[in-house]
Amino acid sequence: MADADNAGNEDPARSLKVGGALCAAREQQGIAADEAAIKARVPKHYLEMIETDNYSMIADQLYLLPFVRRYAAFLGLDADETALRFVREVQHAEGTPIRAIEPMELTPRRRRRQSFWQRNRRLLIAGGGLIAAAALLYYVEHRRRQQIPRAAASPAAVITSIQAQAAASPPITNQ
């Protein structure tokens, strides 16, 4: 009996389809369709499809869902509730059974045993890079040392070299 009493008090917008309810809300506020399309940022042809519940010009009606939400919010209606009603209508029209969303149980994923190389890949790459850099530095330094002319090994050799050069050169005379 309580249901019969509530049926007479039900909101007329709820008994309409989503498009009809949105159109009625827009007309109740005295907003023209063109003005609503501009202010709600919904393309006019989509607005017409939504308000007339005629989706023959679009392949997938759920593409309109963001526009339905935006239009409902613009009109001051509950966007989430309007979107939910729209999805139910589309699913009902397509003959898709509506299922309650149930939480999924996730089973813990078994970790695969990794080898030493897989676990330490980054460390091994960094170590290999350091070894390569050290080898390159050694090679560059070794080549640099080979190109520098060697000085005499001992002071005695330097003195002998100077004496040999003096003996080979002509004597200097004062005039």
Side-chain angles (χ1 to χ4, degrees):
M1 185 118 184
D3 292 336
D5 292 338
N6 288 339
N9 297 334
E10 187 176 312
D11 185 11
R14 283 210 175 268
S15 62
L16 296 173
K17 284 189 160 191
V18 171
L22 292 171
C23 183
R26 177 183 55 79
E27 289 173 349
Q28 185 179 13
Q29 294 178 17
I31 302 172
D34 294 335
E35 181 184 355
I38 292 169
K39 288 185 177 178
R41 297 185 330 259
V42 176
K44 185 169 176 12
H45 59 282
Y46 288 162
L47 187 78
E48 290 171 358
M49 276 193 259
I50 292 168
E51 285 189 345
T52 60
D53 294 312
N54 180 7
Y55 310 116
S56 61
M57 301 296 290
I58 193 164
D60 187 6
Q61 292 88 358
L62 290 179
Y63 176 76
L64 295 173
L65 186 61
F67 299 112
V68 169
R69 290 177 60 82
R70 187 180 304 156
Y71 189 41
F74 167 73
L75 294 173
L77 302 174
D78 184 6
D80 293 332
E81 181 181 330
T82 306
L84 185 61
R85 285 181 54 205
F86 177 75
V87 169
R88 285 184 182 149
E89 284 180 15
V90 168
Q91 287 178 338
H92 182 68
E94 292 177 350
T96 307
I98 300 173
R99 295 184 310 164
I101 298 174
E102 299 174 3
M104 292 177 46
E105 286 187 35
L106 298 176
T107 57
R109 207 170 97 187
R110 288 180 37 191
R111 290 189 60 166
R112 217 171 29 119
R113 188 174 178 103
Q114 294 180 332
S115 70
F116 172 79
W117 303 109
Q118 291 171 329
R119 283 192 313 265
N120 299 315
R121 182 180 359 183
R122 289 184 182 148
L123 183 62
L124 293 169
I125 290 171
L130 286 174
I131 291 171
L136 179 65
L137 286 173
Y138 175 77
Y139 174 76
V140 168
E141 183 64 22
H142 181 70
R143 294 284 293 176
R144 187 182 65 82
R145 286 189 180 172
Q146 284 182 347
Q147 291 174 355
I148 296 175
R150 292 186 178 210
S154 65
V158 172
I159 293 172
T160 307
S161 169
I162 293 173
Q163 288 174 349
Q165 286 177 358
S169 64
I172 301 175
T173 58
N174 278 342
Q175 290 182 349

